[in-house]
Amino acid sequence: MNDMTQTPVCFGPGNALMGMLTVPAQRAAAPVACLMFNMGANHRVGPRRINVKLAHLLAARGVGSLRFDLGGIGDSEALDTGPDLQTRAVHSLQAAMDLVQRMQGISQFATVAMCSGVEHAMSAAAVDARMVALSLFDGFAFPQRRTRWELTVRRALAAPLHPSFPGKARRWVLRHLPGSTVGKPLPGYFVDRRPPNVNAIWFEATMKRLVEREVAVQLLYSGSLHVCDRDRDQLGALRREPFMQGLQYEFMRDVDHTVCTVKGQQLFLQSVGDWVVEHCLATGSPQRQDRPATGTPRAIPATLAAP
């Protein structure tokens, strides 16, 4: 594509980390760059290459980006810079910022994080003031009893008709047999060992810290994981807290967790792309209010939205 240049880069301790730097070709990049990285253990391109499509879209609108693999994932070698996965992930994000700052002279960053990457992004933003904006997709959620009940009922009604149901039922039975080791996580894999109340305490404390620092935050929730939303249901009791009122919150009913459909990709690229560009170009415009749960997506180039 003529409106951007892409450069593979190795960086971090021992050049262990691998990424792709994408910048506008015909004009100076925005004063804030965008970081994108892994969703769980998936490659840096993201589910259905959504990070690649977002990087191209941003470059066409004047925003540079770096999509990269955290240490030990994808093309990046494991880092030995901390005692746990979370610390090493923060170090990977800081190394990515160091690289862009050195190559592009940019010292402020908007970060797009999905699923387990949300905790990594929040942790890095809490300790590094260079992160000024976070777009967080399907991260922490604290649905109330009504929402959990509705999700359980819908899944129970749909499960017997799904072709994967017999296998899942068998694995569930095996996991609950006395002395069973089925489903036991292997060392080093992504496992959430903290109970929900501990997650809520961490999320609240970290988000308060970010809001106090005036970090812009976009919270996005897919329709496949959360099924429904009423009055910011996914935030649970935190939805009434004053510090949460300035955040952009969007329930994306027609977007699934791994953005499988073309419509879902269009909606994701529209929402995240507009929000990132707004904050990277530093227009000073106020954050948008909550977007409706449904709606017709703005036209996204077919080459970007196609799987």
Side-chain angles (χ1 to χ4, degrees):
M1 299 177 71
N2 295 328
D3 55 355
M4 66 181 178
T5 60
Q6 300 199 89
T7 307
V9 290
C10 292
F11 59 99
N15 281 334
L17 304 178
M18 175 70 184
M20 185 69 72
L21 182 66
T22 304
V23 297
Q26 306 300 326
R27 51 178 164 169
V32 180
C34 181
L35 301 178
M36 292 169 271
F37 57 101
N38 314 87
M39 176 184 186
N42 294 289
H43 192 267
R44 64 179 176 273
V45 300
R48 279 54 183 192
R49 301 181 74 250
I50 197 69
N51 286 345
V52 178
K53 297 167 187 177
L54 180 59
H56 294 179
L57 182 67
L58 294 177
R61 298 175 68 178
V63 176
S65 65
L66 174 66
R67 57 186 185 275
F68 66 99
D69 288 318
L70 298 173
I73 307 176
D75 295 319
S76 291
E77 298 177 12
L79 296 182
D80 186 19
T81 60
D84 55 79
L85 172 66
Q86 189 62 28
T87 300
R88 296 191 295 271
V90 170
H91 291 165
S92 293
L93 282 157
Q94 290 180 312
M97 290 186 279
D98 292 341
L99 173 78
V100 176
Q101 190 166 358
R102 184 170 64 253
M103 293 185 65
Q104 300 290 311
I106 294 174
S107 59
Q108 291 187 317
F109 299 88
T111 300
V112 176
M114 307 176 73
C115 192
S116 62
V118 168
E119 184 176 0
H120 301 330
M122 289 179 62
S123 297
V127 299
D128 199 312
R130 290 178 293 179
M131 281 197 187
V132 297
L134 298 175
S135 176
L136 309 176
F137 177 76
D138 269 354
F140 291 92
F142 312 99
Q144 301 291 281
R145 180 179 301 176
R146 179 187 63 191
T147 306
R148 295 196 302 269
W149 180 86
E150 182 168 349
L151 176 61
T152 300
V153 170
R154 291 194 183 202
R155 284 179 171 174
L157 293 175
L161 302 178
H162 197 278
S164 67
F165 177 74
K168 288 185 176 181
R170 178 178 176 274
R171 289 191 294 273
W172 184 92
V173 171
L174 291 175
R175 280 199 305 271
H176 290 80
L177 291 176
S180 173
T181 59
V182 175
K184 184 178 181 180
L186 297 174
Y189 278 65
F190 295 86
V191 181
D192 186 3
R193 296 185 176 89
R194 299 183 308 201
N197 63 313
V198 176
N199 275 333
I201 292 171
W202 183 89
F203 177 82
E204 179 179 8
T206 305
M207 196 60 71
K208 279 183 177 179
R209 183 173 179 180
L210 297 178
V211 170
E212 289 171 357
R213 244 187 50 215
E214 298 185 345
V215 175
V217 178
Q218 179 187 46
L219 296 175
L220 304 175
Y221 294 95
S222 73
S224 63
L225 283 190
H226 306 286
V227 183
C228 63
D229 186 86
R230 299 181 183 88
D231 189 25
R232 296 188 169 203
D233 266 359
Q234 311 316 320
L235 299 179
L238 295 178
R239 69 186 186 276
R240 303 298 185 194
E241 292 292 329
F243 75 92
M244 297 296 291
Q245 302 311 307
L247 311 183
Q248 181 188 320
Y249 177 99
E250 184 175 353
F251 174 63
M252 311 183 83
R253 187 185 308 279
D254 296 318
V255 180
D256 65 276
H257 185 59
T258 55
V259 287
C260 289
T261 67
V262 171
K263 181 179 181 181
Q265 292 178 36
Q266 289 177 323
L267 289 168
F268 182 90
L269 291 172
Q270 174 189 335
S271 181
V272 177
D274 286 353
W275 189 88
V276 169
V277 167
E278 175 185 335
H279 291 87
C280 286
L281 293 179
T283 59
S285 57
Q287 294 188 41
R288 296 180 298 172
Q289 300 298 313
D290 287 1
R291 296 163 57 88
T294 58
T296 303
R298 191 184 63 176
I300 298 292
T303 55
L304 294 177

